[in-house]
Amino acid sequence: MDSVFLIKSLIILGIFAISLGIAAYETYFERVIAAYIQDRVGPDRAGPFGILQPLADAGKLFFKEDFIPTMADKWLFILGPSLAMLTALMTSAVIPFGDSILFDGHEILVQGIEVNIGILWVFGVVSLGVYGILIGGWASNNKYSLYGAIRAASQNISYELAMGLSIIAILMMSESLSLRSIVEQQHGFNWNIFYQPMGFVIFLTCSFAECNRTPFDLPESENELVAGYHTEYGSMKLGLYLFSEYVNMFVTSAVLATLFFGGFNYPGMDWVAAKLIGGFGEVTGHNLATLVGTLIFFGKIFFFIFVFMWVRWTLPRFRYDQLMDLGWKALIPLSVVNLLITAGAQLSGMPLIANWIGLAIFLVLFYLGSNIFGTKKTSL
Amino acid sequence: MQLTNRAKKTDKRPLTLAERSYLPGIAQGMGITLKHFFSKKATIRYPEQTRYLGPVFRGHHILKRDEEGRERCTACGLCAVACPAEAISMVAAERVKGEEHLYREEKYAAAYEINMLRCIFCGLCEEACPKEAVYLRHDKFVPVFTNRDQVIYGKDQLVEDMNNRYERDAWTKEEMQKLWAKQDPVNY
């Protein structure tokens, strides 16, 4: 039992370290990808290819003056970035990073905690995440920070609705809230993206908004709000805010890969597992197969992180009313429609075909309807 | 009235369903940014990689010697008069017997100083010089200094070294572009 406890704590520690490490290197890759997309070279001075850049950045942030404005609410001002970081780190606990490890006769899951309300936990913590920004912006006692914080709060609330509704379609198919059982139902190449293309687009859009990433980065737009909610922050407090955004990006990518792209599943996984077990024996083979699955899962996560950065240098920022229009008038109705289609598909007994037929019927109906009833100002 | 043939007629048709969903537009835009991801980088990594600055660049001053190694400057003072920042000062001296290999004319500059804090690199000294003695180099910056003692450049820093003579590689735009094409993979 002791060794199981040890392994479990090692896994938790590992997940913690990995999410922090990946977040640190996201800052570096953000700069490199930005540079490459803009035909530049990017950071290449600190260490080979500039890989020590995150360390240099962190060192610089630590040595900057830690400033608290006189009129600010001191304790809330300190609490803001801590909350943002705390909530960002809490989410990764329920994500299944791999299948399981066989050790000492025990089967240990590669996951922080396996709970049967996994996805609810993610949503609960993510919805708390906005408190970090809101408290920080309010405590700064600066009207631009407050504007940024209010924008963040209303944006997160608006998009969480559509996000939740698009997830319900997934839950209807998997009939479970546990992330692990959602992953296990996508065994092999049976990924949810094939059943839920519209749900995926809605979820992706909403997760951009939840992470406050471009094109939904209104809370921190420097040209209208002088950097928004973190205007008054400097030193490592600002660092924590920025860092928590990157942790959020990592976790969101992991959730995206888990829900829609099969988590640690990949085509031909049974064949690989059988080969490995044949070659290395029952225990080692199983563990190696888990490792392969985990690596593939991380590949998917990195792909989504890349998409986040890719979109950042493609799309311009939304105007605030357009953002609200998109959230309330487009995404929420669409996700309700998606729910109806999924429900019909589940009842019909042929989810894959019925989902696509339902989507096609909806598009045709929408097209005809907008031709007959639509005004020129219809926005979607 | 049409002024140019570049005018484009505005498309005011209502958006189609695909256009209103913005997804094809976003996909197209992402394709464009991804293409740039793999394109050639325009960066010149400066300290290691330098680029020919062009014949008209005005940098470090130089007092030229002639082909036999004699100083061309006759300390006429026209450069000092032309200098709008009054950075140049000199002391003239008469050439004595036995110094013919050092100075080309009977009069020469015993001291020639340029105050680099005042110099604005306008190039008027170059134009004023009747003896083609003073030039602003196209290939060398005045180095960074941290101390005021280092800013007054005397003859030791200005007079040309005969072992390492200063020449311009190009005088025209065409010659310059030929040099650039040889130096950089990207054609600027």
Side-chain angles (χ1 to χ4, degrees):
Chain A
M1 195 56 212
D2 275 350
S3 56
V4 173
F5 182 72
L6 192 71
I7 287 273
K8 199 79 199 176
S9 22
L10 275 180
I11 285 175
I12 290 175
L13 208 68
I15 289 171
F16 190 64
I18 284 171
S19 32
L20 284 179
I22 286 181
Y25 272 89
E26 269 172 87
T27 61
Y28 164 70
F29 282 113
E30 174 104 298
R31 290 178 61 183
V32 170
I33 288 169
Y36 268 69
I37 283 178
Q38 295 164 356
D39 297 347
R40 299 185 281 117
V41 181
D44 67 343
R45 298 286 140 162
F49 306 109
I51 53 167
L52 297 179
Q53 194 63 45
L55 288 179
D57 289 344
K60 189 193 89 179
L61 276 177
F62 269 113
F63 283 108
K64 276 192 164 185
E65 187 189 359
D66 200 357
F67 178 75
I68 297 180
T70 334
M71 299 302 284
D73 190 324
K74 214 174 211 166
W75 290 108
L76 288 185
F77 193 80
I78 296 169
L79 188 67
S82 330
L83 259 181
M85 196 67 200
L86 181 77
T87 49
L89 282 171
M90 261 157 66
T91 338
S92 59
V94 291
I95 291 165
F97 284 98
D99 193 5
S100 61
I101 297 171
L102 292 177
F103 179 76
D104 205 13
H106 298 281
E107 193 181 16
I108 303 152
L109 302 175
V110 187
Q111 189 176 8
I113 38 167
E114 159 62 6
V115 280
N116 52 12
I117 53 151
I119 191 72
L120 279 188
W121 164 266
V122 172
F123 270 70
V125 174
V126 162
S127 63
L128 288 178
V130 72
Y131 279 92
I133 293 174
L134 192 54
I135 285 175
W138 189 78
S140 302
N141 206 357
N142 171 335
K143 66 180 96 150
Y144 293 107
S145 302
L146 189 60
Y147 277 137
I150 290 171
R151 279 183 175 193
S154 46
Q155 171 184 323
N156 279 29
I157 289 166
S158 310
Y159 279 80
E160 218 152 272
L161 290 171
M163 200 181 199
L165 284 172
S166 68
I167 286 300
I168 291 177
I170 296 273
L171 300 183
M172 280 158 85
M173 289 169 54
S174 65
E175 295 170 9
S176 167
L177 285 167
S178 157
L179 281 172
R180 177 163 289 270
S181 53
I182 291 176
V183 169
E184 275 162 2
Q185 271 157 359
Q186 306 177 54
H187 190 82
F189 205 42
N190 188 29
W191 296 352
N192 278 335
I193 174 74
F194 304 122
Y195 297 89
Q196 293 289 337
M198 191 153 89
F200 171 68
V201 173
I202 295 167
F203 189 84
L204 188 71
T205 318
C206 293
S207 52
F208 275 95
E210 291 283 301
C211 288
N212 298 329
R213 290 284 301 181
T214 327
F216 301 98
D217 63 343
L218 285 102
E220 47 188 286
S221 44
E222 60 272 6
N223 30 20
E224 17 186 309
L225 292 182
V226 266
Y229 67 91
H230 57 55
T231 307
E232 299 288 353
Y233 282 90
S235 182
M236 209 51 205
K237 289 205 196 73
L238 172 70
L240 278 183
Y241 265 134
L242 302 183
F243 206 60
S244 71
E245 185 188 316
Y246 284 101
V247 177
N248 269 331
M249 226 160 93
F250 166 65
V251 173
T252 311
S253 304
V255 172
L256 263 167
T258 309
L259 291 177
F260 290 95
F261 284 83
F264 49 79
N265 293 307
Y266 54 96
M269 59 187 295
D270 290 324
W271 181 81
V272 172
K275 278 274 170 199
L276 284 173
I277 287 172
F280 296 95
E282 192 70 44
V283 176
T284 323
H286 179 81
N287 288 347
L288 280 177
T290 302
L291 182 70
V292 173
T294 306
L295 289 180
I296 281 171
F297 183 53
F298 273 100
K300 290 172 187 171
I301 293 175
F302 291 143
F303 173 72
F304 279 112
I305 290 173
F306 176 70
V307 170
F308 268 87
M309 293 170 182
W310 184 8
V311 168
R312 174 166 181 182
W313 303 108
T314 306
L315 298 180
R317 183 181 296 139
F318 273 97
R319 207 172 64 203
Y320 192 64
D321 61 319
Q322 290 172 335
L323 175 106
M324 283 295 156
D325 267 3
L326 180 71
W328 288 93
K329 293 187 189 163
L331 291 182
I332 293 177
L334 273 181
S335 50
V336 172
V337 168
N338 189 39
L339 264 182
L340 292 175
I341 294 173
T342 315
Q346 287 300 108
L347 287 176
S348 74
M350 294 175 295
L352 186 59
I353 302 161
N355 259 317
W356 280 95
I357 291 173
L359 193 59
I361 291 172
F362 165 68
L363 284 177
V364 168
L365 282 181
F366 188 85
Y367 181 67
L368 294 175
S370 65
N371 272 359
I372 298 166
F373 302 108
T375 56
K376 275 179 185 168
K377 280 189 174 174
T378 315
S379 63
L380 177 76
Chain B
M1 187 178 66
Q2 197 181 9
L3 293 173
T4 63
N5 51 6
R6 283 178 300 175
K8 240 182 167 180
K9 205 158 168 42
T10 330
D11 187 359
K12 283 183 178 168
R13 277 172 301 174
L15 300 178
T16 63
L17 184 63
E19 280 169 341
R20 264 189 293 148
S21 79
Y22 292 110
L23 292 177
I26 290 172
Q28 199 188 350
M30 286 175 78
I32 290 169
T33 36
L34 195 66
K35 214 159 57 194
H36 279 274
F37 194 86
F38 299 106
S39 65
K40 208 158 185 65
K41 309 302 169 215
T43 311
I44 298 167
R45 290 157 206 257
Y46 167 59
E48 298 95 43
Q49 217 181 340
T50 50
R51 196 178 130 191
Y52 180 66
L53 289 166
V56 294
F57 180 80
R58 296 196 286 253
H60 200 289
H61 300 255
I62 189 166
L63 282 175
K64 283 288 281 181
R65 295 173 190 270
D66 67 1
E67 290 71 31
E68 295 159 39
R70 301 175 298 186
E71 284 179 21
R72 286 178 173 180
C73 179
T74 62
C76 64
L78 282 178
C79 51
V81 172
C83 182
E86 297 183 3
I88 304 177
S89 59
M90 68 192 70
V91 177
E94 201 178 336
R95 185 178 71 184
V96 296
K97 224 173 168 59
E99 282 182 343
E100 285 85 359
H101 66 287
L102 289 177
Y103 311 110
R104 196 163 65 169
E105 322 245 345
E106 286 94 38
K107 191 162 149 254
Y108 71 95
Y112 190 101
E113 284 178 345
I114 303 178
N115 186 339
M116 287 299 170
L117 276 180
R118 308 200 70 161
C119 179
I120 56 171
F121 301 94
C122 61
L124 290 184
C125 49
E126 230 179 354
E127 283 177 32
C129 185
K131 298 290 178 188
E132 297 188 325
V134 64
Y135 282 97
L136 292 160
R137 299 182 67 134
H138 76 285
D139 58 351
K140 193 177 168 193
F141 297 104
V142 172
V144 175
F145 40 80
T146 51
N147 197 325
R148 287 183 193 214
D149 301 346
Q150 302 166 346
V151 296
I152 304 210
Y153 279 31
K155 277 182 85 173
D156 50 333
Q157 274 133 311
L158 295 172
V159 178
E160 186 181 28
D161 176 11
M162 277 312 274
N163 298 322
N164 185 18
R165 293 203 72 181
Y166 167 63
E167 274 168 50
R168 283 190 191 184
D169 308 318
W171 286 95
T172 61
K173 205 175 163 188
E174 289 73 36
E175 287 172 356
M176 175 181 84
Q177 271 163 351
K178 248 181 246 166
L179 274 178
W180 276 2
K182 227 187 288 171
Q183 214 165 22
D184 302 320
V186 188
N187 214 354
Y188 292 96

